[in-house]
Amino acid sequence: MSSWSNLLDALITASQCKVADGIVTAMFRVKTRAEENRASMVNHPRLLETLSRIVLDTQDTFDVKKSPAAYKDCENVTKAIAHLANDPLNHKTICNKHILAALVHGASLSSPAGAVTRDAAILAMERMAMDHSNRPMMARYPGMLVSIAKATEREMNEELNGVPKSSASGQPRLAKPLLMSLLVAM
């Protein structure tokens, strides 16, 4: 298992390199897909903080050509967080200020290039909120309810325009039930 730990340490270190061009974040995403990796990744020192830093470093701009790799990195990492949230045993651990900040930031991206990231952030939040004890912290986290309310409005507009599911990712509409569950938890 030390080689696994060494790999995660190497990925954390490599994530600080600005010329990685999406390779490191793609590795995080691929490794979180495997169920057997999720618990060790969530509990690995500095990994959750690293994932959140990558998302928080993404600037919301309507000119994707300025930073296409940054958007792809943000998308990969947000999807990695959503994969980690697939495991109910991880819900408590990942419901922390670093991950919540990253998810709020990802869900708040307004440019078209951030659409998949927004959907992945809402999906991760919804999975984390399945653990009822996480809901009060999530509901009180700055910007959380606002970002989910904006997602609810986007989903409602899609529905009114006849779009069958989320146009970016094809996932079901999750924002409204998530918003309701967090409001009840307040």
Side-chain angles (χ1 to χ4, degrees):
M1 204 50 147
S2 68
S3 63
W4 173 246
S5 182
N6 289 340
L7 172 65
L8 293 178
D9 286 337
L11 287 173
I12 289 168
T13 302
S15 72
Q16 297 172 15
C17 177
K18 297 299 179 194
V19 294
D21 208 21
I23 296 169
V24 174
T25 59
M27 286 297 298
F28 281 128
R29 183 176 169 184
V30 167
K31 294 301 179 186
T32 57
R33 283 184 189 157
E35 290 180 37
E36 63 272 10
N37 294 343
R38 293 176 185 157
S40 62
M41 289 182 80
V42 161
N43 293 305
H44 191 81
R46 300 185 344 266
L47 191 129
L48 295 178
E49 292 83 355
T50 299
L51 296 178
S52 65
R53 178 190 47 78
I54 293 168
V55 174
L56 293 171
D57 284 349
T58 304
Q59 300 298 314
D60 196 17
T61 177
F62 282 88
D63 186 2
V64 178
K65 293 177 183 170
K66 285 185 180 178
S67 58
Y71 273 103
K72 192 60 181 171
D73 285 343
C74 186
E75 179 182 318
N76 282 336
V77 168
T78 307
K79 286 185 173 186
I81 293 169
H83 288 312
L84 293 173
N86 275 337
D87 187 345
L89 298 175
N90 291 341
H91 291 172
K92 261 319 215 193
T93 308
I94 64 175
C95 189
N96 65 50
K97 64 181 180 179
H98 302 290
I99 295 298
L100 293 178
L103 294 176
V104 166
H105 182 74
S108 300
L109 294 175
S110 57
S111 70
V116 175
T117 300
R118 285 193 303 267
D119 288 347
I122 294 297
L123 178 64
M125 289 177 194
E126 188 270 339
R127 289 178 180 160
M128 289 168 53
M130 291 171 75
D131 185 331
H132 295 282
S133 63
N134 285 344
R135 292 178 184 176
M137 179 181 182
M138 292 175 70
R140 288 175 177 80
Y141 192 83
M144 177 74 66
L145 293 177
V146 171
S147 67
I148 298 169
K150 287 179 182 178
T152 302
E153 183 178 21
R154 276 192 307 274
E155 290 178 358
M156 181 193 70
N157 288 334
E158 287 177 350
E159 192 173 335
L160 291 174
N161 292 329
V163 178
K165 291 184 178 181
S166 173
S167 57
S169 63
Q171 75 184 29
R173 293 182 176 89
L174 302 170
K176 184 178 178 182
L178 173 60
L179 181 61
M180 297 306 293
S181 70
L182 295 183
L183 288 172
V184 168
M186 288 187 77

